[in-house]
C-alpha cells in the first residue's frame, strides 16, 4: 500500500503526509503538478502512468463515494490518493480510480480535514482496523462525549486538531494549554493557529481547561503510547464520557482515574493532528453520525465580513491570517 499526494502545494502538508505514511508503515509518493519539488527536492515522485499501474483508491467527496468506515477488501498494493488542499484530486485520476471513499463529515461549518489528517484517517481504516465496535443506536448526538486536547505543544497542530473536531461535529472542545500555544499567544502565533483551525468559518467553541474535569463519570485517554486496548475496540461514547487526546509527555494528574486506549500505528508515532484526527474519526464512527449531505464540488470561492467595532474591541486581523492550511 502506498500513500500518494496528488497536486499537494504546501510543503508543510507534504511533510505531514510523509509522517502519516510513516505512522502506518507505508510508502509515500507525490504526483507533483504544483511545483512542490522546488521546495522539497528529496520528495519521491510518481508519474501518472506508474501510478495507474496499481489499483487506485481515491479519498475524495466525489458523488457515489463509499464511507471509509465501511470499506473493505482493499488490495495490499493499492495506491491511496489524497488531493490538492483546495481542489482535491484531479479529474483524470478520479475517473481512473478503482474505488472512491469519503470520510463522513457531520460538522456544521468546516466540512473538510487537513489533507494529512484525512490521509491518516483513511489509512487507519483502509489498512483494516478489525474487530470494531458496533455503532450507537439512533440519536447519536445524545451520546457524544466531551473532548479534551491535553497539552498540545504546537499552535498549528492544535489549530488543525480543532478544525478536525468541528468537522466531526463537535460544538465545543476543551484545551489544556500548558505550553501557551492557544490562549494569550503573540499575534503571529495566534494568526497561524487560527488559520489552521479555519476559525473564520468554524463555529467551534474552545474552552480553557486545567485538566480532566472530575464531573465526568468516565475518562478515556487515547494515545499511541497507551497500554490498553485499541481505540476501535474501546467504547468512546456516552454523555458522561470525556475523551482525552494528549500530546507527548502528558500524564493525568495524581488521583485521576482514567481508562487507556491505544491508537494503533504500526510505524512511528505521528504528529498530534494525525493522532487527534484518528481518535475523533473513531468516535464519530461509533456514534453512527451520518453526514447531512456532501456539498457539490466547485471551484475556489471567497467570502468577506466587515463590521465596525468600538475602539479596543476584538483583534486586528491581517489578510494573510485568513489563509487556510
Amino acid at each position: 500500500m502506498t500513500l500518494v499526494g496528488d497536486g499537494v502545494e504546501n510543503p508543510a502538508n507534504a511533510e505531514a503526509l510523509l509522517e502519516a505514511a510513516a505512522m502506518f508503515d507505508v510508502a509515500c509518493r507525490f504526483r507533483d503538478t504544483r511545483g512542490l519539488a522546488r521546495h522539497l527536492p528529496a520528495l519521491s515522485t510518481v508519474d501518472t502512468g506508474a501510478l495507474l499501474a496499481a489499483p487506485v483508491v481515491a479519498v475524495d467527496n466525489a458523488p457515489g463515494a463509499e464511507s471509509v468506515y465501511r470499506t473493505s477488501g482493499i488490495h495490499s498494493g493499492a495506491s491511496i490518493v489524497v488531493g490538492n488542499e483546495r481542489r482535491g484530486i484531479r479529474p483524470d485520476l478520479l475517473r481512473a480510480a478503482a474505488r472512491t471513499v469519503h470520510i463522513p463529515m457531520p460538522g456544521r461549518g468546516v466540512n473538510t480535514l487537513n489533507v494529512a489528517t484525512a490521509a491518516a484517517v483513511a489509512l487507519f481504516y483502509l489498512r483494516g482496523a478489525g474487530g470494531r465496535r458496533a455503532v450507537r443506536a439512533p440519536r447519536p448526538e445524545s451520546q457524544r462525549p466531551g473532548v479534551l486536547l491535553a497539552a498540545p505543544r504546537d499552535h498549528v497542530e492544535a489549530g488543525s486538531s480543532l478544525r478536525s473536531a468541528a468537522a466531526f461535529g463537535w460544538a465545543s472542545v476543551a484545551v489544556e494549554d500548558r505550553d501557551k500555544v492557544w490562549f494569550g499567544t503573540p499575534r503571529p502565533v495566534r494568526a497561524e493557529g487560527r488559520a489552521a483551525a479555519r476559525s473564520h468559518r468554524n463555529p467551534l467553541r474552545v474552552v480553557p481547561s486545567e485538566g480532566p474535569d472530575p464531573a465526568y463519570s468516565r475518562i478515556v485517554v487515547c494515545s499511541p503510547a497507551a497500554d490498553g486496548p485499541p481505540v476501535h475496540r474501546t467504547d468512546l461514547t456516552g454523555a458522561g464520557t470525556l475523551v482525552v487526546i494528549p500530546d507527548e509527555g502528558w500524564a493525568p494528574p495524581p488521583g485521576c482515574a482514567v481508562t487507556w486506549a491505544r491508537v494503533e500505528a504500526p510505524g512511528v508515532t505521528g504528529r498530534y493532528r494525525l493522532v487527534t484526527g484518528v481518535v475523533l474519526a473513531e468516535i464519530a464512527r461509533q456514534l453512527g453520525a451520518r453526514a447531512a449531505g456532501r456539498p457539490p464540488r466547485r471551484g475556489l470561492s471567497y467570502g468577506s465580513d466587515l463590521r465596525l467595532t468600538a475602539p479596543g474591541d476584538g483583534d486586528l486581523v491581517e489578510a494573510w491570517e485568513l489563509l487556510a492550511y
Side-chain angles (χ1 to χ4, degrees):
M1 192 173 284
T2 302
L3 176 63
V4 177
D6 181 36
V8 173
E9 293 182 65
N10 189 326
N13 282 334
E15 291 173 343
L17 280 169
L18 288 168
E19 291 191 36
M23 182 176 174
F24 292 98
D25 198 23
V26 301
C28 185
R29 296 186 173 83
F30 295 84
R31 188 170 76 149
D32 185 13
T33 60
R34 298 282 175 177
L36 186 64
R38 291 197 301 268
H39 305 281
L40 299 172
L43 285 182
S44 176
T45 59
V46 61
D47 60 31
T48 305
L51 178 56
L52 296 180
V56 169
V57 178
V59 182
D60 194 276
N61 286 338
E66 56 186 306
S67 169
V68 73
Y69 302 146
R70 298 190 295 270
T71 304
S72 61
I74 299 298
H75 192 278
S76 60
S79 294
I80 311 302
V81 180
V82 294
N84 176 268
E85 294 91 336
R86 295 172 292 165
R87 298 177 176 85
I89 299 172
R90 289 173 66 94
D92 65 326
L93 204 50
L94 270 180
R95 289 192 296 268
R99 302 174 76 168
T100 302
V101 302
H102 74 98
I103 302 168
M105 294 280 101
R108 298 170 297 153
V110 175
N111 57 13
T112 60
L113 301 175
N114 168 271
V115 63
T117 304
V121 171
L123 288 171
F124 179 76
Y125 291 104
L126 296 180
R127 279 179 56 88
R132 302 175 197 170
R133 292 185 62 88
V135 300
R136 277 280 185 176
R139 299 182 60 198
E141 283 306 308
S142 67
Q143 300 299 319
R144 184 177 292 272
V147 166
L148 171 65
L149 303 185
R153 300 190 300 173
D154 179 86
H155 58 291
V156 173
E157 294 298 305
S160 188
S161 298
L162 290 167
R163 169 183 173 175
S164 298
F168 282 118
W170 271 267
S172 177
V173 168
V175 175
E176 183 184 350
D177 195 14
R178 295 181 183 179
D179 292 325
K180 305 299 181 186
V181 301
W182 194 256
F183 299 106
T185 58
R187 186 192 299 170
V189 174
R190 182 171 66 249
E192 288 183 346
R194 271 54 174 181
R198 298 285 184 93
S199 292
H200 56 291
R201 63 183 188 92
N202 186 342
L204 186 72
R205 179 170 174 256
V206 183
V207 181
S209 172
E210 296 299 323
D213 187 343
Y216 285 94
S217 59
R218 180 169 169 264
I219 299 172
V220 184
V221 182
C222 301
S223 167
D227 183 12
V231 291
H232 59 277
R233 298 179 188 172
T234 303
D235 184 3
L236 303 178
T237 64
T241 298
L242 175 67
V243 174
V244 180
I245 311 172
D247 209 339
E248 295 179 14
W250 182 90
C256 180
V258 303
T259 299
W260 294 90
R262 186 175 73 257
V263 180
E264 289 195 313
V268 299
T269 301
R271 62 174 69 186
Y272 189 62
R273 78 177 75 168
L274 308 180
V275 174
T276 302
V278 169
V279 174
L280 295 174
E282 177 55 22
I283 300 172
R285 185 198 68 80
Q286 290 187 21
L287 286 173
R290 298 290 183 264
R294 297 186 294 279
R297 295 179 61 80
R298 59 185 182 186
L300 187 64
S301 61
Y302 299 86
S304 62
D305 184 8
L306 300 178
R307 289 179 293 230
L308 292 176
T309 64
D313 286 353
D315 296 323
L316 178 64
V317 179
E318 305 288 348
W320 65 269
E321 296 179 287
L322 301 180
L323 293 176
Y325 279 68

